[in-house]
Amino acid sequence: MKRLGHALLVLVTMGSALAGAAAPATASPAPPSLVFANPDSQALFGSAYAAALQNLLRTNTIAYDAKYDRAGLLDPATGIVRAGGGYAQPWTRDASVNSWNAASLLDPALAKNTLWAVVDKDATGALRVQQDDQQWDQVVWVTAAWHHYLVTGDRGFLENAYRTAADTLAIREHATTAGYNTAYGLFTGASFFNDGIAGYPAPPADATESVSTGSMPWPGVASGMYLSTNELYYAAYVNAANMAETLARPETAGYRARAEALRTAINDHFWNPATGLYDYQLLADGRRGAFQEGTGLAFALIFGVANPAQARSIVSHARELPWGMPDTYPNWARYSDAQPGRHNAIVWPLVQGLWAKALAGQGETNAYAAETARLAKLAGANSGFWEIHHGTTGVVDGGWQRLGDTVKFHWGSEPDQTWSATAFLDMIHTGLFGLTFTDRGLSFTPHLPAGWGDVTLRNVRYRAANLTVTLHGAGAAIRSVAVDGRAARAELPAT
């Protein structure tokens, strides 16, 4: 149920981002600032926001490197966002998530370079998301690319992004590994970011994780079908259709038909009325796993896979740990609260961010507030944004998983994880201020929790405008909006 609380007053001041002395074309824009009237909110959320900006725009922005310019589309004068303190590469899912979460808004040139850094061009000139050994969720790039266009209006980028989306989807549709299962109408391969076998119950795993540390060498994972991955394909078809329609391409209807067929298959094979949730896995032999996947539930809400009744059921029945939404749940038999799996009942801030976005989209202001506060506290208590935390204690903990010949090795959690920081940035931009980008413009659907106090976000650049947005009051029901002092709707045109 929506918890509206008190009414909000939204004030927007709109200045030209181009005013004053022209900055060099290669200069990165100055980042926004977040200021709460309540000093406690400023200490918690304002400090976390500043740390997240530092993580993305300073710590994890690296210089141009020609080895990533395989598509020939990078700007040598612009940097690239790496995956984190322990990961020097941009990586497909990280590049996509970080651009979608925050970089496309905060630094469009940086996001554009980062998205092209994970795209290849073959001898025929065809563009496709890089072909590597973690190909099952490549299509997350399509959603990030469409979002980048909505934020920037960059038509040249969109034309190349559509080529990339079309070529990549065609490859995945006909692939023998991580491809399309015609019997179920679903895509096979591992779940979203769960590249380790700790993210899977037995079966398809076994008690000693005897085959491999990675997930795809396990035949049951490679041939299995997973909730989050199929939702990413659904979103990819929807967004490929959006690209095609914007470019007046004839493929629009075909992509929309494939999207609807996949949405139907997801609901037919994953929705579980007994639990009120979507199941996590469907093995090739038809066995279903009535487990919970955090990103899968979040995507069901974010992408509209769930209908309104299903969405309400998900919000009511999803289980969280004391420090946030877990990756998968509950503990597999080979793990425990004392030794959680690296991809099992453990908290990744990446998942927290997606779940908070989903909650805000459902008008669940109190639940959104709780998840956002948890991540802010985790960042504040640990001097920044880490990769993984123990779900019960909140301590930095990489979880347990086989490593080589070692069974149940205790892994580390990497520092300065970029998508953990961009998860928090998105909690503020999409959740708190409700920034929503469409092909028509920018709209606001804010969610200001009671007790947080009035808040202002300054220096938000949207296309040619530099925005200051202030929220007065509390809740998610807007009482009034003023733009440059005049009554207005809660939206700004793309022009």
Side-chain angles (χ1 to χ4, degrees), residues 10-13 32-34 49 100-102 104-106 147 150-151 302 357 360-361 368 424-438 441-448 456-463 465-471 478 490-492:
V10 182
L11 302 178
V12 182
T13 302
S33 63
L34 181 70
Y49 185 81
W100 180 25
N101 274 350
S104 290
L105 174 63
L106 297 175
H147 176 75
L150 294 179
V151 174
I302 293 167
K357 183 200 291 279
Y368 153 78
F424 187 78
L425 293 171
D426 188 60
M427 286 171 161
I428 298 301
H429 299 152
T430 301
L432 179 57
F433 287 89
L435 304 185
T436 305
F437 301 91
T438 71
L442 169 63
S443 63
F444 303 87
T445 54
H447 300 82
L448 178 55
T456 298
L457 184 65
R458 292 188 175 88
N459 202 34
V460 180
R461 287 174 168 83
Y462 171 62
R463 303 200 181 188
N466 188 330
L467 307 178
T468 296
V469 187
T470 299
L471 306 179
I478 297 175
E491 57 189 35
L492 298 172

Side-chain angles (χ1 to χ4, degrees), residues 227 266-267 269-280 288-293 297 300 310-319 325 329 355:
L227 177 62
I266 292 170
N267 279 292
H269 295 296
F270 286 101
W271 180 253
N272 188 335
T275 63
L277 301 169
Y278 287 95
D279 289 344
Y280 170 42
R288 290 171 61 159
F291 310 109
Q292 176 180 297
E293 182 193 14
L297 298 183
Q310 290 171 317
R312 290 191 296 271
S313 180
I314 290 169
V315 171
S316 296
H317 292 97
R319 294 288 302 276
M325 173 59 74
Y329 185 84
W355 183 238

